[in-house]
């Protein structure tokens, strides 16, 4: 008896060992969770970044009876840009910096545990766009999150106790972390923010069990540091060559070259590739990033400032770059490539193609072959005048020479503005309608290049900018977009820029929030607003939905204004000085009359 | 906290004096700590000092504007100091005091919640930047007591 017992113990221990240390295990777990009906275990619901839920208990016929079930004050005032996760019978969320992570009961919001890491307050001074955090990640009974002051944490999901922590970014150099991590297999993938501080963008993978770094690659610099080797096969010939991440910059400018990773990661398990966008090149003043006075269609490749504003595909195990594609080579307008790459298979030319679809900050919607980085289609989804189109034979924009920027020069009426035709808030995709639902901006700008010097830990920008509403006078739109026909199906105009993510559901509903604090449910096919509620503060978070342990479908969203447009409210910028907040006041100067600060999670369900 | 009851109890335990000393020492340390923290934030002269030789001097204001851009102040506070990543500097609300001495110290020494220290700037440059900021002031006139 005793012998059998100890043998059982050994078997148990061995299987625990196998469970804990087999590298692939988190992958099947998350692969199964991403397909579960009622759980929301990844920031974008699935690895493809659809933000689509197969739940339909709340649908077009009963959404009028959607009522508040519970709400939760986070105690934080700054912008709430992320989304909660629901795994098992627990909801997990993180507040802006200085952060607190909460584990809540998903039916009533009662607190299971909370954790507040130590915080370095200096990090707030190097956060360009409010002290935000875009959410936690889950795998194997652990919660992973990044902090603005540069740490990556793993907590025990059932107790909130720290399992490990590592420092990944250094605020004294202007580096912060705002993006949500993504867990792939046994690795947690993390980027850095700080494109306005002359940092050098990079991405790294840490082992989920012990926090050891598995790989780290930069987005600028020589091939070896970028992860470019024999597997790198970009589609367009001009992207092939040695050390282009350094030679497409003058001198050593690539060392201050931004190209950070602060948006969403997506992952294709079959190709084993992770996808992300890189930010604007550092510094905004484009004269410092080229060897000639102005840039033309011919010279934009010479001074492309690679690999800024790019979609990058890396092997999830090794980090090797497999392909890359710049959206705005030699960016002159802060057309940061933060937009998420949403993975879908689309019928194109009579064939089902593995593509990624992105709504870039530069105003073009791209359909890209995700196996090799070939652009299959590119069309403007908003007012665009810096380029007349994308040349599909080279992947290059056809630039409008009148809209180039330079030091000591004012370029007027550039569309879109530096905030883009869409910023970081993620779009959603519904496989039922085949449409993308895009939180879009309708803002144009004037840009004056100014002298600037690099001082570590201070902004490295060199531009004075002024924004105004685009054609029509509104500054926000929710767009439904057909990715096969490459055209708009409907739009809903908003007075203020759409700065919240979007949720699509099998109830044929689309949810989104507005800066003036409305949370709306829209018919996914007609675009008719079926329900709305005015929340306590502006909505810049991403709505999500889940099934509670009680079998009820809930929809949750953060309210809590902030982010770039919210700085108008946070800093109390005078509404009559359009240059305030980098010229954002010129577009949404009266926002402070419609929304004040304060973070709350709101959770709704259909009245029973 | 240090009421008579507490002291009596200490006396009964027969190590009253050392205990009291420890408590006093702790209190003093706490007070010192809170004083350092407070000092860090408002060590500058709280009342108006009118230290800046350049206030209202148009040439210095213009030079201050150039310095404001050169040292990337505009990157945080925006081109017209109306606020951005960092606070708006044109109203009467100052996190660390709005007198000349306080603003000078904020620039020279930095502040804990994100303002970097510009210790390498010449005093003269800092005063010109402050003169530029004063020229942009939009708050009530009665609060313009620097």
């Amino acid at each position: 008896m005793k012998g059998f017992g100890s043998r059982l113990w050994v078997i148990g221990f061995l299987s625990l060992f196998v469970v804990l240390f087999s590298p692939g295990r988190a992958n099947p777990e998350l692969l199964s969770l991403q397909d579960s009906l009622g759980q929301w275990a990844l920031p974008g619901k699935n690895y493809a970044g659809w933000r689509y839920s197969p739940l339909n208990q709340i649908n077009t016929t009963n959404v009028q009876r959607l009522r508040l079930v519970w709400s939760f004050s986070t105690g934080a005032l700054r912008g709430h840009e992320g989304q909660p996760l629901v795994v098992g019978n627990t909801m997990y969320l993180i507040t802006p910096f200085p952060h607190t992570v909460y584990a809540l009961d998903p039916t009533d919001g009662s607190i299971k545990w909370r954790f507040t890491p130590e915080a370095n307050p200096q990090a707030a001074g190097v956060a360009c766009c409010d002290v935000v955090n875009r959410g936690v990640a889950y795998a194997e009974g652990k919660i992973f999150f990044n902090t603005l002051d540069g740490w990556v944490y793993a907590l025990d999901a059932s107790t909130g106790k720290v399992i490990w922590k590592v420092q990944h970014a250094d605020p004294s150099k202007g580096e912060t972390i705002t993006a949500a991590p993504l867990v792939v297999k046994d690795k947690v993938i993390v980027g850095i923010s700080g494109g306005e501080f002359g940092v050098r963008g990079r991405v790294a993978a840490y082992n989920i069990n012990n926090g050891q770094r598995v790989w780290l690659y930069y987005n600028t610099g020589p091939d070896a540091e970028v992860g470019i080797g024999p597997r790198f096969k970009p589609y367009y010939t001009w992207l092939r060559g040695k050390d282009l991440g350094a030679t497409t910059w003058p001198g050593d400018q690539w060392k201050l070259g931004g190209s950070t990773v602060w948006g969403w990661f997506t992952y294709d398990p079959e190709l084993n590739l992770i996808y992300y966008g890189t930010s604007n090149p550092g510094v905004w003043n484009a004269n410092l990033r080229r060897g000639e006075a102005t840039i033309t269609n011919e010279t934009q490749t010479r001074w492309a400032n690679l690999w800024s504003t790019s979609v990058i595909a890396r092997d999830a195990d090794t980090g090797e770059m497999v392909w890359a594609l710049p959206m705005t080579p030699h960016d002159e307008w802060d057309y940061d490539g933060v937009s998420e790459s949403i993975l879908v298979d689309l019928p194109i030319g009579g064939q089902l193609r593995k593509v990624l679809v992105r709504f870039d900050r530069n105003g073009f919607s791209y359909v890209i072959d995700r196996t090799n980085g070939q652009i299959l289609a590119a069309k403007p989804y908003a007012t665009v005048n810096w380029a007349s189109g994308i040349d599909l034979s080279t992947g290059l924009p056809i630039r409008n020479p009148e809209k180039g920027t330079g030091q000591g020069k004012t370029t007027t009426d550039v569309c879109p503005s530096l905030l883009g035709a869409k910023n970081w808030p993620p779009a959603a995709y519904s496989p039922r309608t085949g449409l993308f639902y895009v939180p879009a901006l309708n803002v144009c700008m004037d840009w004056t290049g100014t002298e600037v010097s690099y001082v570590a830990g201070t902004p490295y920008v060199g531009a004075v900018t002024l924004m105004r509403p685009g054609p029509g006078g509104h500054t926000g739109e929710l767009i439904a977009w057909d990715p096969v026909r490459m055209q708009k199906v409907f739009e809903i105009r908003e007075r203020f820029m759409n700065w919240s993510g979007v949720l699509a559901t099998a109830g044929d509903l689309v949810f989104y929030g507005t800066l003036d604090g409305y949370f709306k449910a829209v018919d996914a096919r007609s675009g008719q607003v079926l329900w709305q509620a005015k929340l306590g503060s502006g909505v810049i978070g991403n709505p999500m939905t889940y099934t509670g342990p009680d079998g009820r479908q809930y929809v949750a969203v953060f309210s809590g204004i902030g982010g770039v447009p919210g700085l108008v409210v946070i800093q109390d910028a005078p509404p009559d000085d359009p240059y305030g907040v980098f010229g954002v006041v010129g577009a949404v100067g009266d926002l402070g009359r419609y929304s004040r600060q304060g973070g709350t999670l709101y959770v709704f369900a259909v009245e029973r | 906290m240090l009421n008579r009851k507490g002291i009596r109890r200490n006396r009964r335990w027969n190590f009253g004096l050392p205990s009291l000393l420890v408590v006093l020492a702790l209190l003093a340390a706490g007070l010192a700590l809170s004083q350092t923290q407070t000092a860090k934030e408002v060590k500058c002269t709280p009342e108006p000092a009118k230290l800046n030789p350049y206030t209202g001097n148009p040439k210095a204001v213009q030079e201050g504007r150039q310095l404001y851009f050169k040292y990337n102040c505009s990157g945080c506070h925006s081109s017209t100091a109306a606020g951005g990543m960092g606070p708006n500097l044109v109203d009467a609300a100052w996190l660390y005091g709005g007198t000349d001495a306080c603003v000078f110290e904020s620039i020279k020494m930095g502040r804990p919640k994100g303002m970097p220290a510009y210790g390498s700037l010449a005093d003269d440059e800092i005063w010109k930047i402050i003169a530029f900021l004063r020229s942009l002031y939009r708050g009530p006139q009665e609060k313009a007591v620097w």
Side-chain angles (χ1 to χ4, degrees):
Chain A
M1 203 51 197
K2 197 189 167 203
F4 180 73
S6 67
R7 226 173 298 150
L8 199 66
W9 187 86
V10 168
I11 290 166
F13 182 79
L14 281 178
S15 38
L16 185 73
F17 186 84
V18 169
V19 160
L20 285 178
F21 298 101
S22 61
R25 188 181 167 268
N27 195 354
E29 183 199 16
L30 284 176
L31 282 173
S32 127
L33 278 173
Q34 70 163 347
D35 291 332
S36 77
L37 283 175
Q39 304 265 288
W40 191 288
L42 289 107
K45 174 71 171 94
N46 63 7
Y47 272 127
W50 286 6
R51 293 183 182 268
Y52 167 81
S53 165
L55 296 178
N56 62 5
Q57 205 182 89
I58 304 171
N59 54 54
T60 50
T61 63
N62 63 13
V63 68
Q64 291 81 0
R65 291 189 287 119
L66 207 57
R67 300 285 182 269
L68 184 70
V69 180
W70 58 273
S71 61
F72 179 81
S73 172
T74 65
L77 287 178
R78 301 294 288 258
H80 287 59
E81 286 191 347
Q83 61 288 305
L85 298 185
V86 170
V87 185
N89 288 336
T90 306
M91 171 185 280
Y92 302 94
L93 59 88
I94 182 167
T95 67
F97 183 79
H99 315 289
T100 293
V101 179
Y102 288 97
L104 304 178
D105 182 311
T107 60
D108 64 9
S110 56
I111 298 169
K112 296 185 173 184
W113 55 257
R114 63 193 162 100
F115 173 72
T116 302
E118 275 179 65
N120 167 9
Q122 281 291 350
V126 288
C128 73
C129 310
D130 197 5
V131 294
V132 296
N133 183 291
R134 300 193 186 86
V136 303
Y138 168 86
E140 282 195 19
K142 300 178 191 68
I143 290 294
F144 304 90
F145 67 98
N146 303 320
T147 67
L148 190 80
D149 57 353
W151 291 79
V152 185
Y153 278 81
L155 304 183
D156 183 320
S158 56
T159 63
K161 298 274 180 286
V162 177
I163 297 171
W164 55 259
K165 61 174 187 172
V166 296
Q167 188 164 20
H168 173 69
D170 180 357
S172 74
K173 295 179 185 160
E175 299 172 351
T176 50
I177 320 178
T178 57
L182 183 76
V183 175
V184 173
K185 299 187 181 176
D186 61 344
K187 298 174 188 70
V188 54
I189 315 287
V190 183
I192 65 165
S193 309
E196 279 63 51
F197 287 82
V199 307
R200 188 178 168 209
R202 60 179 184 270
V203 63
Y206 294 91
N207 182 292
I208 59 171
N209 294 309
N210 54 28
Q212 277 176 8
R213 201 170 71 202
V214 185
W215 52 260
L216 178 151
Y217 288 111
Y218 291 89
N219 296 320
T220 68
D223 286 351
E225 292 174 34
V226 173
I228 287 181
R231 282 192 66 192
F232 183 61
K233 291 187 174 60
Y235 186 80
Y236 300 101
T237 49
W238 72 274
L239 297 170
R240 299 171 199 160
K242 194 174 162 2
D243 297 332
L244 292 181
T247 60
T248 53
W249 303 77
D252 282 348
Q253 186 63 31
W254 56 267
K255 290 180 178 169
L256 305 173
S259 314
T260 59
V261 185
W262 62 284
W264 307 96
F265 296 101
T266 48
Y267 172 61
D268 182 329
E270 281 177 33
L271 298 169
N272 196 34
L273 294 179
I274 55 165
Y275 302 93
Y276 63 88
T278 59
S279 83
N280 57 291
V283 49
W284 285 14
N285 177 334
N287 287 83
L288 299 173
R289 292 183 278 103
R290 60 193 176 214
E292 49 205 287
T294 55
I295 284 292
T296 64
N297 284 327
E298 287 66 43
T299 57
Q300 64 180 332
T301 55
R302 170 68 189 89
W303 305 108
N305 307 145
L306 300 176
W307 301 90
S308 65
T309 73
S310 301
V311 185
I312 288 177
R314 289 188 187 273
D315 182 291
D317 295 325
T318 63
E320 291 164 288
M321 206 188 260
V322 173
W323 61 260
L325 174 68
M327 305 283 108
T328 313
H330 191 81
D331 164 46
E332 301 177 75
W333 311 272
D334 188 27
Y335 290 157
D336 178 315
V338 62
S339 286
E340 69 286 357
S341 294
I342 302 174
L343 315 185
V344 291
D345 294 347
L346 289 183
I348 290 170
Q351 249 186 312
L352 201 61
R353 302 284 295 262
K354 286 176 186 290
V355 301
L356 66 82
V357 174
R358 51 187 284 119
F359 297 86
D360 201 87
R361 203 147 128 176
N362 71 15
F364 288 92
S365 166
Y366 295 83
V367 176
I368 296 165
D369 183 327
R370 70 175 182 269
T371 67
N372 64 9
Q374 179 193 4
I375 302 176
L376 304 177
K379 282 256 175 70
Y381 64 97
T383 303
V384 174
N385 65 17
W386 70 276
S388 58
I390 306 295
D391 180 344
L392 295 191
S393 67
T394 59
L396 288 165
I398 303 155
R399 298 165 98 95
N400 175 354
E402 285 174 18
K403 299 301 179 188
T405 69
Q407 188 171 312
K409 169 179 152 188
T410 297
T411 308
T412 54
D413 288 317
V414 186
C415 307
S417 82
L418 67 101
L419 297 179
K422 172 188 168 299
N423 205 282
W424 69 267
Y429 170 73
S430 167
R432 285 173 57 88
T433 63
L435 301 179
F436 284 82
Y437 301 94
V438 186
L441 314 178
N442 178 44
V443 182
C444 300
M445 68 170 171
D446 298 345
W447 177 293
T448 307
T450 61
E451 197 183 339
V452 62
S453 41
Y454 176 74
V455 182
T458 72
Y460 187 48
V461 176
V464 172
T465 53
L466 176 62
M467 294 171 224
R468 62 181 69 88
H474 57 292
T475 61
E477 288 172 5
L478 182 86
I479 293 173
W481 181 266
D482 181 331
V484 177
R485 294 197 179 87
M486 291 299 274
Q487 64 190 31
K488 203 183 273 188
V489 176
F490 64 75
E491 70 176 35
I492 301 168
R493 295 184 170 192
E494 295 290 346
R495 174 179 185 147
F496 295 112
M497 306 178 208
N498 283 49
W499 213 267
S500 96
V502 182
L503 162 69
T505 73
D508 281 346
L509 292 170
V510 170
F511 292 88
Y512 72 98
T514 67
L515 285 180
D516 49 347
Y518 284 96
F519 184 45
K520 301 189 181 186
V522 174
D523 185 313
R525 298 178 192 275
S526 71
Q528 197 191 340
V529 178
L530 300 176
W531 173 90
Q532 66 178 32
K534 172 89 166 159
L535 308 186
S537 177
V539 180
I540 61 167
N542 308 318
M544 53 80 75
T545 187
Y546 61 93
T547 306
D550 51 359
R552 203 173 182 193
Q553 183 187 353
Y554 295 90
V555 175
V557 70
F558 273 130
S559 142
I561 201 159
V564 178
L567 288 172
V568 169
V569 179
I570 292 167
Q571 309 297 11
D572 225 349
D576 56 344
D577 175 0
Y579 287 94
V581 190
F582 321 114
V584 178
V585 172
V588 294
D590 56 348
L591 184 54
R593 284 181 50 217
Y594 296 85
S595 190
R596 306 306 296 173
Q597 288 179 263
T600 307
L601 182 81
Y602 289 88
V603 182
F604 300 89
V606 170
E607 203 172 35
R608 283 198 275 216
Chain B
M1 292 222 307
L2 261 186
N3 55 21
R4 245 182 252 157
K5 215 171 161 187
I7 293 171
R8 257 204 309 270
R9 199 187 297 136
N10 285 339
R11 197 176 292 153
R12 197 168 57 218
W13 290 344
N14 211 19
F15 43 86
L17 193 60
S19 199
L20 181 63
L21 285 176
V22 167
V23 170
L24 281 175
L26 280 174
L27 269 181
L31 208 62
L33 191 69
S34 66
Q35 264 177 351
T36 343
Q37 276 166 356
T38 319
K40 206 169 178 184
E41 293 183 6
V42 285
K43 196 172 77 189
C44 47
T45 318
E47 65 271 8
K50 296 195 193 306
L51 293 173
N52 191 351
Y54 295 116
T55 305
N57 174 337
K59 185 165 173 285
V61 166
Q62 187 51 35
E63 286 170 19
R65 182 179 186 279
Q66 282 166 9
L67 294 165
Y68 179 84
F69 279 89
K70 180 179 172 186
Y71 293 114
N72 304 339
C73 312
S74 57
C76 272
H77 300 283
S78 279
S79 59
T80 53
M85 305 174 207
N88 136 17
L89 304 174
V90 298
D91 63 14
W94 291 89
L95 289 175
Y96 304 104
T99 63
D100 282 343
C102 291
V103 179
F104 183 92
E105 190 183 285
S106 291
I107 298 173
K108 188 96 180 171
M109 313 293 281
R111 296 295 183 186
K113 289 184 181 170
M115 174 71 192
Y118 283 86
S120 61
L121 266 67
D123 288 3
D124 222 40
E125 291 182 302
I126 295 177
W127 287 126
K128 285 173 182 172
I129 291 170
I130 296 172
F132 168 62
L133 295 179
R134 301 304 192 199
S135 78
L136 300 172
Y137 179 68
R138 300 161 64 99
Q141 213 43 55
E142 68 272 17
K143 292 201 173 172
V145 281
W146 303 311

